[in-house]
Amino acid sequence: MSAPAEIVARLIPILGPFNKTNAPLSAATRFTEDLNFDSLIVMEFVAAVEDAFDISVPLNILPDVATVGELASAIDKILGEGKS
Amino acid sequence: MADLFDRFAPLMAQRDALLGDGGINPFQVKMDELLSPTEAMIEGRRTILAGTNNYLGLTFSPEALKAAHDALEACGTGTTGSRVANGTYGSHKDLENALAEFFGKDHAMVFSTGFLANLGILSTLMGPEDYILMDADCHASIYDGVRGSAAQIIRFRHNDAADLEKRLARLEGKPGNKLIVIEGIYSMLGDKAPIAEIVAVKKKFSNVYLLSDEAHSLGVLGRYGRGLPEEAGVEDDVDFIVGTFSKSVGTVGGFCVSNHPQFDVLRLVCRAYVFTASLPPSVVVSATANLKLIKQGGALRARLMRNAEQLHQGLSGLGLKLGSDVSSVIAVVAPDPQTAIAFWRGLIEAGVYVNLALPPATPFGYSLLRASLCAAHTEAQIDQIIDIFADVALRLGMIERPASRRIAAG
């Protein structure tokens, strides 16, 4: 599944303050390996994403999300469910 | 091919680097002899225990000891079975009745530990259409419990009722029930949930239930020791209370109480209840005996709070950074894990045991020396704890030499 570019573009500024490793940010950026996210940062980042998109991001989906692109796809799916 | 345990290698390397090559391992403390609820022999030294969660000091209450001895003689050392098979004795039902009466709820269910109570209840209560909204700082047993649930799990920011409200509002119109999960007192820093605000948020929405884990607040808060809901006057708005016997109650075991008319069906579907052995009768009767003491324990609670005030005042007077207000848990924040370990070792070598708590198990990534108080601590013991903290903190360069305070010999 290709990541929705528009959502990736919205995610990158949200990620900015959490990017302590100064890794280049793109759809391919990996949260654990590239950004060194630990559970505390994940909590804060997910909350920021929820607020920015006005959606609920359940913890259940997080194990399947390794990259910014995968998160964008998950958000796309959640936004789609909201419309139905 | 990689060894099964290779994936733990980074963790082991990190731990070895932290612990270094000298000193006692903070995670492998051995108590060779218990002298009282507040003292033990550790490494051949008489040591003040200030990290046991034994808030009311009931581990040696004569009432519980007598009941436990009698039950051991009469019923033996264990039930060897599940609550739904051969593991329910009269004493298990008596304890459940005592719990229901204590909390003024219709139903009570006893589990074999507090961890299992959270695991059992949280993994079972909510279905695939439902939502669990949990405080981000909840205990590992809550995280593991919700992980086993079919519901969607959403976290809200710690102790932030407005953040919870925002998250509930986003779920409005979705089918399914919602369960808010909080703790009365959070274990690491001893901070209380803003339960009245959370109840107010809960009431703005429909089909929302509230579960509070009173592990650290049972016996500690409320006139009769029923925890934060009693203290805040919101008991009728808390649908499920989970708790443990391994803190104020002074033994081991867990429970859940509720007024829900169908509550008892959980005895059939909670796997952590059905598929584990029940508590030994000696443990069960000591919980029942100490529950009575908790209800009448106003003097113990007052003593505990006086001790908390004394320790808080003493430690903050030294200029140490505290992560806690005056509460049954008082945590000193160390600048980094290495300093925290050196601090902990300094304390244990001088005869004070506290808990060492390191990230990621701590809020804000803090490295903590976590003290928990006991109603059985004497004023002199607390003074001694403060003196030893002062001595170690001074040696580590964490504080300036206090002007007025006598420094214990190092």
Side-chain angles (χ1 to χ4, degrees):
Chain A
M1 188 173 18
S2 71
E6 187 199 330
I7 296 178
V8 172
R10 281 176 72 188
L11 278 174
I12 284 174
I14 303 171
L15 257 179
F18 300 97
N19 182 7
K20 307 286 187 221
T21 59
N22 288 319
L25 298 177
S26 72
T29 307
R30 298 167 300 176
F31 293 109
T32 307
E33 293 84 348
D34 301 329
L35 298 175
N36 225 354
F37 270 26
D38 62 23
S39 54
L40 286 175
I41 300 177
V42 168
M43 160 68 207
E44 280 304 318
F45 174 62
V46 169
V49 168
E50 287 182 317
D51 291 346
F53 287 84
D54 197 23
I55 53 170
S56 304
V57 180
L59 277 190
N60 320 46
I61 67 161
L62 297 185
D64 299 324
V65 171
T67 66
V68 173
E70 284 165 9
L71 179 61
S73 299
I75 292 171
D76 193 38
K77 198 168 157 236
I78 293 167
L79 290 169
E81 282 164 5
K83 280 177 203 133
S84 61
Chain B
M1 188 177 287
D3 185 86
L4 194 57
F5 279 56
D6 279 355
R7 67 195 177 89
F8 300 117
L11 176 70
M12 294 303 284
Q14 194 190 10
R15 199 202 60 167
D16 290 347
L18 259 182
L19 293 182
D21 47 10
I24 308 166
N25 183 334
F27 308 112
Q28 290 176 12
V29 170
K30 181 161 68 78
M31 302 201 186
D32 291 310
E33 192 188 344
L34 265 295
L35 304 170
S36 76
T38 61
E39 278 190 310
M41 296 302 291
I42 299 175
E43 304 270 330
R45 265 184 304 270
R46 207 179 174 97
T47 301
I48 302 176
L49 303 176
T52 59
N53 303 321
N54 186 7
Y55 299 115
L56 299 182
L58 296 181
T59 44
F60 288 85
S61 84
E63 291 85 342
L65 284 177
K66 167 84 169 63
H69 282 302
D70 291 350
L72 263 177
E73 292 295 336
C75 308
T77 49
T79 67
T80 72
S82 154
R83 289 294 309 274
V84 300
N86 58 307
T88 296
Y89 293 5
S91 53
H92 294 82
K93 292 311 286 183
D94 291 345
L95 174 55
E96 286 177 339
N97 292 337
L99 276 165
E101 194 193 323
F102 176 86
F103 281 102
K105 300 280 187 192
D106 294 337
H107 305 281
M109 199 170 153
V110 167
F111 291 79
S112 296
T113 70
F115 195 106
L116 284 178
N118 270 331
L119 205 63
I121 295 290
L122 289 165
S123 65
T124 310
L125 210 46
M126 308 302 279
E129 294 281 289
D130 300 330
Y131 294 87
I132 297 177
L133 294 106
M134 61 182 286
D135 186 289
D137 277 10
C138 279
H139 186 258
S141 58
I142 293 176
Y143 271 90
D144 283 7
V146 303
R147 192 181 292 167
S149 169
Q152 299 291 303
I153 313 305
I154 293 167
R155 283 188 292 194
F156 61 93
R157 289 188 169 96
H158 175 56
N159 274 355
D160 189 336
D163 198 65
L164 168 66
E165 180 167 0
K166 203 157 57 179
R167 278 158 178 72
L168 273 170
R170 285 190 192 124
L171 299 177
E172 254 195 312
K174 303 224 184 212
N177 293 302
K178 288 107 193 171
L179 178 72
I180 304 167
V181 182
I182 60 169
E183 297 181 26
I185 288 180
Y186 288 86
S187 63
M188 285 293 120
L189 302 179
D191 50 334
K192 295 178 201 172
I195 197 166
E197 291 170 45
I198 285 169
V199 164
V201 167
K202 175 198 171 195
K203 287 178 168 170
K204 291 184 186 175
F205 301 90
S206 47
N207 301 97
V208 184
Y209 296 83
L210 176 59
L211 180 150
S212 185
D213 180 344
E214 296 294 318
H216 290 269
S217 34
L218 167 62
V220 171
L221 300 179
R223 184 170 174 203
Y224 297 104
R226 297 196 295 266
L228 185 64
E230 186 198 354
E231 183 186 77
V234 296
E235 287 176 282
D236 290 343
D237 300 298
V238 181
D239 304 280
F240 302 93
I241 289 176
V242 173
T244 179
F245 306 136
S246 64
K247 296 172 173 57
S248 287
V249 187
T251 177
V252 66
F255 67 88
C256 181
V257 297
S258 175
N259 276 334
H260 196 288
Q262 269 94 52
F263 184 75
D264 267 348
V265 75
L266 294 175
R267 294 185 198 271
L268 297 177
V269 293
C270 267
R271 297 165 67 83
Y273 176 87
V274 175
F275 295 102
T276 195
S278 68
L279 289 169
S282 54
V283 166
V284 171
V285 295
S286 36
T288 309
N290 279 345
L291 204 58
K292 248 183 237 162
L293 300 181
I294 287 177
K295 192 172 181 177
Q296 310 154 357
L300 292 175
R301 280 183 278 286
R303 177 77 235 177
L304 175 67
M305 279 308 124
R306 274 204 305 280
N307 287 345
E309 275 162 31
Q310 190 191 345
L311 185 65
H312 192 277
Q313 203 178 358
L315 294 180
S316 60
L318 296 174
L320 286 167
K321 180 180 175 186
L322 300 189
S324 315
D325 296 329
V326 175
S327 77
S328 41
V329 174
I330 294 176
V332 170
V333 182
D336 53 70
Q338 283 82 3
T339 310
I341 289 170
F343 203 126
W344 185 90
R345 283 186 175 139
L347 294 174
I348 200 81
E349 282 158 14
V352 173
Y353 173 79
V354 299
N355 306 120
L356 174 69
L358 301 176
T362 50
F364 311 113
Y366 279 162
S367 299
L368 299 174
L369 287 314
R370 174 193 179 274
S372 65
L373 288 140
C374 180
H377 281 135
T378 63
E379 202 178 323
Q381 281 178 316
I382 309 256
D383 267 337
Q384 206 182 336
I385 295 170
I386 297 165
D387 284 344
I388 290 170
F389 262 88
D391 179 42
V392 178
L394 197 60
R395 248 192 295 145
L396 292 172
M398 283 171 63
I399 57 168
E400 305 287 312
R401 180 168 289 278
S404 58
R405 183 142 210 117
R406 178 181 60 86
I407 302 295

PDB file of all heavy atoms in Angstrom, chain B residues 53-83:
ATOM      1  N   ASN B  53       5.529  -0.779  50.423  1.00  0.00           N
ATOM      2  CA  ASN B  53       4.084  -0.622  50.172  1.00  0.00           C
ATOM      3  C   ASN B  53       3.225  -1.195  51.307  1.00  0.00           C
ATOM      4  O   ASN B  53       2.038  -1.417  51.136  1.00  0.00           O
ATOM      5  CB  ASN B  53       3.655  -1.271  48.854  1.00  0.00           C
ATOM      6  CG  ASN B  53       4.419  -0.713  47.678  1.00  0.00           C
ATOM      7  OD1 ASN B  53       4.677   0.477  47.621  1.00  0.00           O
ATOM      8  ND2 ASN B  53       4.800  -1.574  46.757  1.00  0.00           N
ATOM      9  N   ASN B  54       3.871  -1.434  52.443  1.00  0.00           N
ATOM     10  CA  ASN B  54       3.173  -1.984  53.617  1.00  0.00           C
ATOM     11  C   ASN B  54       2.647  -0.789  54.417  1.00  0.00           C
ATOM     12  O   ASN B  54       3.051  -0.539  55.550  1.00  0.00           O
ATOM     13  CB  ASN B  54       4.199  -2.809  54.406  1.00  0.00           C
ATOM     14  CG  ASN B  54       3.603  -3.554  55.577  1.00  0.00           C
ATOM     15  OD1 ASN B  54       2.382  -3.582  55.765  1.00  0.00           O
ATOM     16  ND2 ASN B  54       4.458  -4.155  56.370  1.00  0.00           N
ATOM     17  N   TYR B  55       1.713  -0.042  53.792  1.00  0.00           N
ATOM     18  CA  TYR B  55       1.379   1.297  54.270  1.00  0.00           C
ATOM     19  C   TYR B  55       0.896   1.354  55.713  1.00  0.00           C
ATOM     20  O   TYR B  55       1.174   2.287  56.428  1.00  0.00           O
ATOM     21  CB  TYR B  55       0.334   1.944  53.343  1.00  0.00           C
ATOM     22  CG  TYR B  55       0.830   2.110  51.928  1.00  0.00           C
ATOM     23  CD1 TYR B  55       0.251   1.414  50.868  1.00  0.00           C
ATOM     24  CD2 TYR B  55       1.903   2.949  51.637  1.00  0.00           C
ATOM     25  CE1 TYR B  55       0.713   1.556  49.569  1.00  0.00           C
ATOM     26  CE2 TYR B  55       2.381   3.092  50.342  1.00  0.00           C
ATOM     27  CZ  TYR B  55       1.780   2.392  49.316  1.00  0.00           C
ATOM     28  OH  TYR B  55       2.254   2.524  48.041  1.00  0.00           O
ATOM     29  N   LEU B  56       0.119   0.340  56.109  1.00  0.00           N
ATOM     30  CA  LEU B  56      -0.425   0.387  57.467  1.00  0.00           C
ATOM     31  C   LEU B  56       0.354  -0.497  58.439  1.00  0.00           C
ATOM     32  O   LEU B  56       0.040  -0.553  59.625  1.00  0.00           O
ATOM     33  CB  LEU B  56      -1.912   0.006  57.452  1.00  0.00           C
ATOM     34  CG  LEU B  56      -2.804   0.927  56.604  1.00  0.00           C
ATOM     35  CD1 LEU B  56      -4.262   0.497  56.692  1.00  0.00           C
ATOM     36  CD2 LEU B  56      -2.665   2.393  57.022  1.00  0.00           C
ATOM     37  N   GLY B  57       1.350  -1.204  57.936  1.00  0.00           N
ATOM     38  CA  GLY B  57       2.189  -2.025  58.826  1.00  0.00           C
ATOM     39  C   GLY B  57       1.477  -3.251  59.367  1.00  0.00           C
ATOM     40  O   GLY B  57       1.753  -3.716  60.471  1.00  0.00           O
ATOM     41  N   LEU B  58       0.547  -3.807  58.591  1.00  0.00           N
ATOM     42  CA  LEU B  58      -0.294  -4.900  59.112  1.00  0.00           C
ATOM     43  C   LEU B  58       0.265  -6.304  58.845  1.00  0.00           C
ATOM     44  O   LEU B  58      -0.419  -7.288  59.132  1.00  0.00           O
ATOM     45  CB  LEU B  58      -1.713  -4.791  58.519  1.00  0.00           C
ATOM     46  CG  LEU B  58      -2.491  -3.527  58.920  1.00  0.00           C
ATOM     47  CD1 LEU B  58      -3.886  -3.535  58.285  1.00  0.00           C
ATOM     48  CD2 LEU B  58      -2.612  -3.429  60.436  1.00  0.00           C
ATOM     49  N   THR B  59       1.489  -6.406  58.323  1.00  0.00           N
ATOM     50  CA  THR B  59       2.003  -7.741  57.970  1.00  0.00           C
ATOM     51  C   THR B  59       2.212  -8.641  59.185  1.00  0.00           C
ATOM     52  O   THR B  59       2.340  -9.850  59.031  1.00  0.00           O
ATOM     53  CB  THR B  59       3.343  -7.625  57.213  1.00  0.00           C
ATOM     54  OG1 THR B  59       4.156  -6.661  57.871  1.00  0.00           O
ATOM     55  CG2 THR B  59       3.122  -7.222  55.762  1.00  0.00           C
ATOM     56  N   PHE B  60       2.293  -8.056  60.377  1.00  0.00           N
ATOM     57  CA  PHE B  60       2.431  -8.871  61.583  1.00  0.00           C
ATOM     58  C   PHE B  60       1.266  -8.626  62.545  1.00  0.00           C
ATOM     59  O   PHE B  60       1.417  -8.784  63.745  1.00  0.00           O
ATOM     60  CB  PHE B  60       3.755  -8.564  62.300  1.00  0.00           C
ATOM     61  CG  PHE B  60       4.975  -9.095  61.583  1.00  0.00           C
ATOM     62  CD1 PHE B  60       5.590  -8.379  60.567  1.00  0.00           C
ATOM     63  CD2 PHE B  60       5.503 -10.344  61.937  1.00  0.00           C
ATOM     64  CE1 PHE B  60       6.714  -8.871  59.914  1.00  0.00           C
ATOM     65  CE2 PHE B  60       6.631 -10.845  61.290  1.00  0.00           C
ATOM     66  CZ  PHE B  60       7.240 -10.115  60.273  1.00  0.00           C
ATOM     67  N   SER B  61       0.113  -8.204  62.040  1.00  0.00           N
ATOM     68  CA  SER B  61      -0.987  -7.927  62.970  1.00  0.00           C
ATOM     69  C   SER B  61      -1.370  -9.218  63.697  1.00  0.00           C
ATOM     70  O   SER B  61      -1.489 -10.274  63.080  1.00  0.00           O
ATOM     71  CB  SER B  61      -2.202  -7.352  62.225  1.00  0.00           C
ATOM     72  OG  SER B  61      -2.991  -8.381  61.684  1.00  0.00           O
ATOM     73  N   PRO B  62      -1.521  -9.147  65.015  1.00  0.00           N
ATOM     74  CA  PRO B  62      -1.833 -10.367  65.786  1.00  0.00           C
ATOM     75  C   PRO B  62      -3.111 -11.039  65.284  1.00  0.00           C
ATOM     76  O   PRO B  62      -3.205 -12.270  65.262  1.00  0.00           O
ATOM     77  CB  PRO B  62      -2.015  -9.840  67.216  1.00  0.00           C
ATOM     78  CG  PRO B  62      -1.305  -8.526  67.250  1.00  0.00           C
ATOM     79  CD  PRO B  62      -1.373  -7.966  65.856  1.00  0.00           C
ATOM     80  N   GLU B  63      -4.088 -10.226  64.846  1.00  0.00           N
ATOM     81  CA  GLU B  63      -5.362 -10.782  64.374  1.00  0.00           C
ATOM     82  C   GLU B  63      -5.142 -11.649  63.132  1.00  0.00           C
ATOM     83  O   GLU B  63      -5.665 -12.761  63.036  1.00  0.00           O
ATOM     84  CB  GLU B  63      -6.337  -9.647  64.045  1.00  0.00           C
ATOM     85  CG  GLU B  63      -6.834  -8.857  65.250  1.00  0.00           C
ATOM     86  CD  GLU B  63      -5.900  -7.719  65.667  1.00  0.00           C
ATOM     87  OE1 GLU B  63      -4.711  -7.743  65.265  1.00  0.00           O
ATOM     88  OE2 GLU B  63      -6.341  -6.829  66.416  1.00  0.00           O
ATOM     89  N   ALA B  64      -4.358 -11.128  62.183  1.00  0.00           N
ATOM     90  CA  ALA B  64      -4.118 -11.879  60.947  1.00  0.00           C
ATOM     91  C   ALA B  64      -3.231 -13.100  61.224  1.00  0.00           C
ATOM     92  O   ALA B  64      -3.466 -14.179  60.673  1.00  0.00           O
ATOM     93  CB  ALA B  64      -3.477 -10.973  59.900  1.00  0.00           C
ATOM     94  N   LEU B  65      -2.223 -12.927  62.072  1.00  0.00           N
ATOM     95  CA  LEU B  65      -1.329 -14.052  62.382  1.00  0.00           C
ATOM     96  C   LEU B  65      -2.105 -15.204  63.016  1.00  0.00           C
ATOM     97  O   LEU B  65      -1.945 -16.370  62.629  1.00  0.00           O
ATOM     98  CB  LEU B  65      -0.206 -13.599  63.331  1.00  0.00           C
ATOM     99  CG  LEU B  65       0.918 -12.774  62.710  1.00  0.00           C
ATOM    100  CD1 LEU B  65       1.911 -12.328  63.790  1.00  0.00           C
ATOM    101  CD2 LEU B  65       1.654 -13.572  61.634  1.00  0.00           C
ATOM    102  N   LYS B  66      -2.966 -14.868  63.957  1.00  0.00           N
ATOM    103  CA  LYS B  66      -3.760 -15.896  64.654  1.00  0.00           C
ATOM    104  C   LYS B  66      -4.679 -16.618  63.655  1.00  0.00           C
ATOM    105  O   LYS B  66      -4.736 -17.852  63.613  1.00  0.00           O
ATOM    106  CB  LYS B  66      -4.578 -15.226  65.769  1.00  0.00           C
ATOM    107  CG  LYS B  66      -5.685 -16.061  66.394  1.00  0.00           C
ATOM    108  CD  LYS B  66      -5.120 -16.952  67.484  1.00  0.00           C
ATOM    109  CE  LYS B  66      -6.197 -17.624  68.346  1.00  0.00           C
ATOM    110  NZ  LYS B  66      -7.075 -18.531  67.626  1.00  0.00           N
ATOM    111  N   ALA B  67      -5.381 -15.826  62.842  1.00  0.00           N
ATOM    112  CA  ALA B  67      -6.304 -16.413  61.865  1.00  0.00           C
ATOM    113  C   ALA B  67      -5.540 -17.302  60.882  1.00  0.00           C
ATOM    114  O   ALA B  67      -5.985 -18.408  60.544  1.00  0.00           O
ATOM    115  CB  ALA B  67      -7.051 -15.302  61.115  1.00  0.00           C
ATOM    116  N   ALA B  68      -4.361 -16.837  60.441  1.00  0.00           N
ATOM    117  CA  ALA B  68      -3.580 -17.603  59.474  1.00  0.00           C
ATOM    118  C   ALA B  68      -3.077 -18.905  60.083  1.00  0.00           C
ATOM    119  O   ALA B  68      -3.149 -19.974  59.458  1.00  0.00           O
ATOM    120  CB  ALA B  68      -2.417 -16.756  58.965  1.00  0.00           C
ATOM    121  N   HIS B  69      -2.579 -18.839  61.326  1.00  0.00           N
ATOM    122  CA  HIS B  69      -2.120 -20.065  62.011  1.00  0.00           C
ATOM    123  C   HIS B  69      -3.257 -21.078  62.109  1.00  0.00           C
ATOM    124  O   HIS B  69      -3.094 -22.261  61.795  1.00  0.00           O
ATOM    125  CB  HIS B  69      -1.622 -19.738  63.425  1.00  0.00           C
ATOM    126  CG  HIS B  69      -0.250 -19.151  63.460  1.00  0.00           C
ATOM    127  ND1 HIS B  69       0.844 -19.803  62.937  1.00  0.00           N
ATOM    128  CD2 HIS B  69       0.216 -17.984  63.963  1.00  0.00           C
ATOM    129  CE1 HIS B  69       1.925 -19.045  63.102  1.00  0.00           C
ATOM    130  NE2 HIS B  69       1.574 -17.928  63.713  1.00  0.00           N
ATOM    131  N   ASP B  70      -4.423 -20.603  62.551  1.00  0.00           N
ATOM    132  CA  ASP B  70      -5.571 -21.502  62.716  1.00  0.00           C
ATOM    133  C   ASP B  70      -5.962 -22.129  61.377  1.00  0.00           C
ATOM    134  O   ASP B  70      -6.253 -23.329  61.303  1.00  0.00           O
ATOM    135  CB  ASP B  70      -6.774 -20.741  63.295  1.00  0.00           C
ATOM    136  CG  ASP B  70      -6.537 -20.324  64.749  1.00  0.00           C
ATOM    137  OD1 ASP B  70      -5.530 -20.796  65.328  1.00  0.00           O
ATOM    138  OD2 ASP B  70      -7.340 -19.529  65.286  1.00  0.00           O
ATOM    139  N   ALA B  71      -5.968 -21.295  60.311  1.00  0.00           N
ATOM    140  CA  ALA B  71      -6.379 -21.801  58.997  1.00  0.00           C
ATOM    141  C   ALA B  71      -5.364 -22.811  58.459  1.00  0.00           C
ATOM    142  O   ALA B  71      -5.736 -23.801  57.820  1.00  0.00           O
ATOM    143  CB  ALA B  71      -6.552 -20.644  58.019  1.00  0.00           C
ATOM    144  N   LEU B  72      -4.080 -22.557  58.734  1.00  0.00           N
ATOM    145  CA  LEU B  72      -3.048 -23.502  58.298  1.00  0.00           C
ATOM    146  C   LEU B  72      -3.291 -24.871  58.935  1.00  0.00           C
ATOM    147  O   LEU B  72      -3.253 -25.909  58.259  1.00  0.00           O
ATOM    148  CB  LEU B  72      -1.669 -22.996  58.727  1.00  0.00           C
ATOM    149  CG  LEU B  72      -0.850 -22.234  57.711  1.00  0.00           C
ATOM    150  CD1 LEU B  72       0.447 -21.757  58.357  1.00  0.00           C
ATOM    151  CD2 LEU B  72      -0.542 -23.086  56.489  1.00  0.00           C
ATOM    152  N   GLU B  73      -3.542 -24.864  60.240  1.00  0.00           N
ATOM    153  CA  GLU B  73      -3.775 -26.120  60.952  1.00  0.00           C
ATOM    154  C   GLU B  73      -5.044 -26.805  60.449  1.00  0.00           C
ATOM    155  O   GLU B  73      -5.078 -28.009  60.235  1.00  0.00           O
ATOM    156  CB  GLU B  73      -3.915 -25.858  62.464  1.00  0.00           C
ATOM    157  CG  GLU B  73      -2.638 -25.391  63.138  1.00  0.00           C
ATOM    158  CD  GLU B  73      -1.541 -26.458  63.114  1.00  0.00           C
ATOM    159  OE1 GLU B  73      -1.860 -27.656  63.013  1.00  0.00           O
ATOM    160  OE2 GLU B  73      -0.352 -26.077  63.159  1.00  0.00           O
ATOM    161  N   ALA B  74      -6.086 -26.006  60.224  1.00  0.00           N
ATOM    162  CA  ALA B  74      -7.395 -26.591  59.902  1.00  0.00           C
ATOM    163  C   ALA B  74      -7.499 -26.991  58.432  1.00  0.00           C
ATOM    164  O   ALA B  74      -8.149 -28.002  58.116  1.00  0.00           O
ATOM    165  CB  ALA B  74      -8.501 -25.589  60.253  1.00  0.00           C
ATOM    166  N   CYS B  75      -6.899 -26.208  57.527  1.00  0.00           N
ATOM    167  CA  CYS B  75      -7.159 -26.406  56.088  1.00  0.00           C
ATOM    168  C   CYS B  75      -5.922 -26.780  55.285  1.00  0.00           C
ATOM    169  O   CYS B  75      -6.035 -27.048  54.084  1.00  0.00           O
ATOM    170  CB  CYS B  75      -7.757 -25.140  55.473  1.00  0.00           C
ATOM    171  SG  CYS B  75      -9.178 -24.506  56.353  1.00  0.00           S
ATOM    172  N   GLY B  76      -4.751 -26.734  55.912  1.00  0.00           N
ATOM    173  CA  GLY B  76      -3.543 -27.088  55.184  1.00  0.00           C
ATOM    174  C   GLY B  76      -2.916 -25.913  54.457  1.00  0.00           C
ATOM    175  O   GLY B  76      -3.362 -24.776  54.572  1.00  0.00           O
ATOM    176  N   THR B  77      -1.879 -26.224  53.682  1.00  0.00           N
ATOM    177  CA  THR B  77      -1.051 -25.162  53.108  1.00  0.00           C
ATOM    178  C   THR B  77      -1.582 -24.601  51.793  1.00  0.00           C
ATOM    179  O   THR B  77      -1.132 -23.554  51.342  1.00  0.00           O
ATOM    180  CB  THR B  77       0.383 -25.675  52.883  1.00  0.00           C
ATOM    181  OG1 THR B  77       0.289 -26.944  52.201  1.00  0.00           O
ATOM    182  CG2 THR B  77       1.117 -25.860  54.184  1.00  0.00           C
ATOM    183  N   GLY B  78      -2.495 -25.305  51.133  1.00  0.00           N
ATOM    184  CA  GLY B  78      -2.992 -24.766  49.863  1.00  0.00           C
ATOM    185  C   GLY B  78      -4.239 -25.485  49.405  1.00  0.00           C
ATOM    186  O   GLY B  78      -4.574 -26.562  49.904  1.00  0.00           O
ATOM    187  N   THR B  79      -4.922 -24.889  48.430  1.00  0.00           N
ATOM    188  CA  THR B  79      -6.168 -25.503  47.952  1.00  0.00           C
ATOM    189  C   THR B  79      -5.907 -26.443  46.778  1.00  0.00           C
ATOM    190  O   THR B  79      -6.757 -27.250  46.438  1.00  0.00           O
ATOM    191  CB  THR B  79      -7.158 -24.427  47.458  1.00  0.00           C
ATOM    192  OG1 THR B  79      -6.623 -23.820  46.276  1.00  0.00           O
ATOM    193  CG2 THR B  79      -7.415 -23.376  48.516  1.00  0.00           C
ATOM    194  N   THR B  80      -4.777 -26.287  46.123  1.00  0.00           N
ATOM    195  CA  THR B  80      -4.395 -27.084  44.956  1.00  0.00           C
ATOM    196  C   THR B  80      -5.443 -27.055  43.848  1.00  0.00           C
ATOM    197  O   THR B  80      -5.559 -28.004  43.080  1.00  0.00           O
ATOM    198  CB  THR B  80      -4.070 -28.548  45.316  1.00  0.00           C
ATOM    199  OG1 THR B  80      -5.272 -29.241  45.653  1.00  0.00           O
ATOM    200  CG2 THR B  80      -3.090 -28.643  46.459  1.00  0.00           C
ATOM    201  N   GLY B  81      -6.194 -25.973  43.759  1.00  0.00           N
ATOM    202  CA  GLY B  81      -7.187 -25.953  42.687  1.00  0.00           C
ATOM    203  C   GLY B  81      -7.739 -24.576  42.389  1.00  0.00           C
ATOM    204  O   GLY B  81      -7.546 -23.624  43.144  1.00  0.00           O
ATOM    205  N   SER B  82      -8.423 -24.483  41.263  1.00  0.00           N
ATOM    206  CA  SER B  82      -9.034 -23.240  40.821  1.00  0.00           C
ATOM    207  C   SER B  82     -10.289 -22.932  41.636  1.00  0.00           C
ATOM    208  O   SER B  82     -10.936 -23.832  42.175  1.00  0.00           O
ATOM    209  CB  SER B  82      -9.404 -23.363  39.341  1.00  0.00           C
ATOM    210  OG  SER B  82     -10.464 -22.496  39.023  1.00  0.00           O
ATOM    211  N   ARG B  83     -10.636 -21.645  41.664  1.00  0.00           N
ATOM    212  CA  ARG B  83     -11.859 -21.225  42.332  1.00  0.00           C
ATOM    213  C   ARG B  83     -13.080 -21.949  41.779  1.00  0.00           C
ATOM    214  O   ARG B  83     -14.058 -22.156  42.496  1.00  0.00           O
ATOM    215  CB  ARG B  83     -12.054 -19.697  42.164  1.00  0.00           C
ATOM    216  CG  ARG B  83     -11.103 -18.815  42.951  1.00  0.00           C
ATOM    217  CD  ARG B  83     -11.307 -18.953  44.450  1.00  0.00           C
ATOM    218  NE  ARG B  83     -12.692 -18.799  44.850  1.00  0.00           N
ATOM    219  CZ  ARG B  83     -13.288 -17.634  45.103  1.00  0.00           C
ATOM    220  NH1 ARG B  83     -12.619 -16.523  44.993  1.00  0.00           N
ATOM    221  NH2 ARG B  83     -14.560 -17.587  45.478  1.00  0.00           N
TER     222      ARG B  83
END
